[in-house]
Amino acid sequence: MKYQVLTTSRALEDIRELLEYIQTSYAEPQIASRMKESIIDAIDSLSEFPLRNPISQDETLHQQGIRKMMVKN
């Protein structure tokens, strides 16, 4: 069974800011591009295994049942 994965506008903005930071800090667009692909792959994988990551330790997120997924560092 595949699940529908929804990405909030806040999450998309966070990702955009992260990629912009990587690109400007390292002056290497290829690093940002590879990170973008890793993030997309990780998000896409949630449609198969959405509960495999632990619930966030942040109290507000924890109460909402929001899980934390690490992608690389």
Side-chain angles (χ1 to χ4, degrees):
M1 173 179 189
K2 287 215 174 203
Y3 294 86
Q4 181 181 13
V5 178
L6 303 175
T7 308
T8 64
S9 57
R10 170 71 190 265
L12 293 173
E13 179 64 20
D14 286 348
I15 293 167
R16 186 194 65 72
E17 288 177 5
L18 170 67
L19 297 174
E20 185 177 293
Y21 170 79
I22 291 170
Q23 188 168 352
T24 56
S25 294
Y26 297 102
E28 287 288 337
Q30 293 143 340
I31 293 172
S33 179
R34 285 194 302 268
M35 178 57 83
K36 179 180 178 181
E37 288 302 315
S38 295
I39 292 170
I40 290 170
D41 290 346
I43 291 170
D44 288 345
S45 74
L46 292 172
S47 67
E48 296 280 337
F49 303 106
L51 302 177
R52 72 173 182 267
N53 297 295
I55 293 179
S56 175
Q57 295 300 310
D58 177 276
E59 187 61 34
T60 303
L61 299 176
H62 187 87
Q63 289 176 357
Q64 296 175 44
I66 295 176
R67 296 175 181 273
K68 178 180 180 177
M69 175 190 271
M70 298 296 292
V71 178
K72 299 198 179 208
N73 285 334

